[in-house]
Structures are given as structure tokens and as C-alpha cells.
Amino acid sequence: MEKIVIVTGAGISAESGLGTFRDAGGIWQRYPLEDVATPEGFARDPGLVHAFYNARRAQAAGARPNPAHLALARLEAEHAGEVLIVTQNVDGLHEAAGSRNVIHMHGRLNGALCGACGHRWPAPPEMAPDDPCPGCGAPATRPDVVWFGEMPYELDRIEAALAEADLFAAIGTSGQVYPAAAYGEFAGRMGAHTVELNLEPSAASRDFHEHRQGPASEVVPVWVAEVLGK
Ligand code: OAD
């Protein structure tokens, strides 16, 4: 049975109204990455970092999955083999669309993490630096998202899935952030057919066998229908 692994990035949620990072006017042009997405930035000004993620959590809570998320949920429901989504996105739009087999390698906005003891719990809509951890009581609460300089989650499980994949797709990601940027090259070397679906060629385009260029809401449903129709 064909195993399919799909890595997604901010581009798949762009048409749901959530901004991408590196496009013109993207999130990193408006908020310096060093200030809001690094452990050092959090140590300097935890209030600023919480405000940034509180705003993104509120925005994500009001967003709806678009046809690209829905098509991937259909793929998982109808494909006879395994479908695994590895997302770099911290929104919950894959789950909202109905996908179940999802790894959030960069964490999730709806999670809270204690920086002191590692306890995890559901994030309230608004988090503040002195919120106590429900586990140990330390005022070290942070969003359960992965910052630059930190290790993404579940890398061993992701690599094992990539090594076994028959088909690998990257959707809506600029191919500039590792390790996800290397997954196309790795999956291809391990024997998968690789496809990039993106608005424009990414920094990793040359690693893919096949390219579909256009908005995710258009190219992903077409691709899914083709995969299911084979
Ligand atoms: P980027 O903002 O770097 O890239 C988004 C990609 O999506 C670009 O290549 C766009 O051309 C493409 N795109 C934009 N709109 C699209 C649409 N409607 N349909 C299809 N493609 C579209 O976002 P990521 O690659 O996800 O990490 O960024 C990777 C990581 O860098 C993020 O998870 C985040 C960020 O810094 C952390 O915060 C740790």
C-alpha cells in the first residue's frame, strides 16, 4: 500500500487568512524574528512574545480550513495506505479540516509549556509571563511552539516515515527552514516520488521530481484527485 508523507508550511494556510513569514509584508517583516521567535527574545521580553502569540492564537481561532486542507483530509480518509501530514504550522487547520495523522514539528498555538518542568497543558486564549504552571507552580509559562535555536518535535518519527514513503509532497513552504527544507531531497534519495506544490518555486525546488505551481486551494485538490484516481 502506497505510503504518503506531506510536509506543509504557511502557504497552505495563506488563503485561510493567516499570514506567511517570508512573503512581501510577511510576519517576519513586521515582527523581528529574533525578538519573538527565539529563546533569547523570550528571556529579554516575555510579555512581547506572549502578546505576539496571543494575537496569532486569536487570529488562528477565527480561521477556517480552505480547500487545500480539506483535500488533504479527504486524501487521508480515502487513500488505502497511510497518509501522514508533517506540518510546520502552529495553527490547527489540518485538524479542523478532519486530518488525524498530523505531526506538529514546530508545536501548536493551542498548547502551553512550562519552561521550568516541561509540563504541557491546553493554552488559554491569553497567556502571560507570570501565569503559574499547573504542574509545578513556576511562573515560567510559554507557548508550546518551537523557536529558532530549539529542536523541532518528533524528528525521529518523521525521518522514519520519510524513509518509508512512496510519495512525498511539500505544500506551501519556502524551503528555507531546516530540517523540513531537506525533506524533499531525503525522501527522494530514499526512493519516494517527490512533488512540490507552491505558489512559486521554493529554495528547495530542484530537489523535487515534479512541480505544481499555483495557490494551494487550487493545486492541492487537483493533485489529491489525481492521487486518489490512480
Ligand atoms: P514561509 O513564509 O517561509 O513560506 C511560505 C511559502 O508559501 C512561500 O514559498 C510562498 O510562495 C508560498 N505561498 C504563499 N501563498 C501561497 C498559497 N496561497 N498557496 C501556496 N503557496 C503559497 O513559510 P514556511 O516555509 O512555512 O518557523 O516557514 C517555515 C518556518 O519558518 C515556519 O514554520 C516558522 C518560520 O519562521 C518558526 O517559527 C520556528
Side-chain angles (χ1 to χ4, degrees):
M1 220 55 80
E2 195 178 51
K3 291 191 177 181
I4 304 175
V5 179
I6 299 159
V7 68
T8 64
I12 197 169
S13 296
E15 291 162 88
S16 294
L18 303 180
T20 59
F21 296 97
R22 295 177 181 77
D23 295 296
I27 293 173
W28 296 150
Q29 281 185 6
R30 286 175 286 138
Y31 305 91
L33 176 165
E34 301 74 26
D35 290 344
V36 297
T38 61
E40 295 77 16
F42 187 63
R44 273 197 304 274
D45 191 346
L48 174 77
V49 176
H50 275 298
F52 172 74
Y53 286 100
N54 288 342
R56 295 192 62 205
R57 189 176 301 109
Q59 199 191 13
R64 296 287 163 264
N66 68 55
H69 299 102
L70 294 167
L72 295 186
R74 177 182 170 220
L75 182 65
E76 184 182 333
E78 297 183 18
H79 178 64
E82 188 187 351
V83 175
L84 172 66
I85 295 177
V86 176
T87 189
Q88 300 168 86
N89 297 342
V90 291
D91 65 53
L93 292 177
H94 285 303
E95 289 85 350
S99 290
R100 293 176 178 279
N101 201 17
V102 183
I103 294 178
H104 280 268
M105 66 181 295
H106 289 169
R108 294 142 55 110
L109 287 169
N110 62 9
L113 169 66
C114 176
C117 76
H119 180 67
R120 290 188 158 84
W121 69 101
E126 294 271 318
M127 291 169 63
D130 48 4
D131 288 347
C133 166
C136 73
T141 179
R142 57 169 282 182
D144 190 7
V145 300
V146 174
W147 288 323
F148 288 89
E150 297 182 324
M151 190 66 89
Y153 296 152
E154 303 209 56
L155 294 184
D156 290 349
R157 206 178 131 208
I158 296 168
E159 272 192 28
L162 291 170
E164 289 191 341
D166 302 295
L167 176 60
F168 172 80
I171 304 175
T173 180
S174 60
Q176 297 193 47
V177 174
Y178 288 84
Y183 288 168
E185 190 277 330
F186 179 70
R189 190 155 39 86
M190 299 303 279
H193 177 71
T194 59
V195 191
E196 179 178 82
L197 301 98
N198 209 52
L199 198 56
E200 58 193 6
S202 80
S205 281
R206 77 181 74 82
D207 295 336
F208 290 81
H209 298 121
E210 192 186 333
H211 303 87
R212 307 282 178 106
Q213 212 168 306
S217 68
E218 293 174 18
V219 296
V220 176
V222 171
W223 175 73
V224 164
E226 281 175 30
V227 172
L228 289 173
K230 266 186 201 153

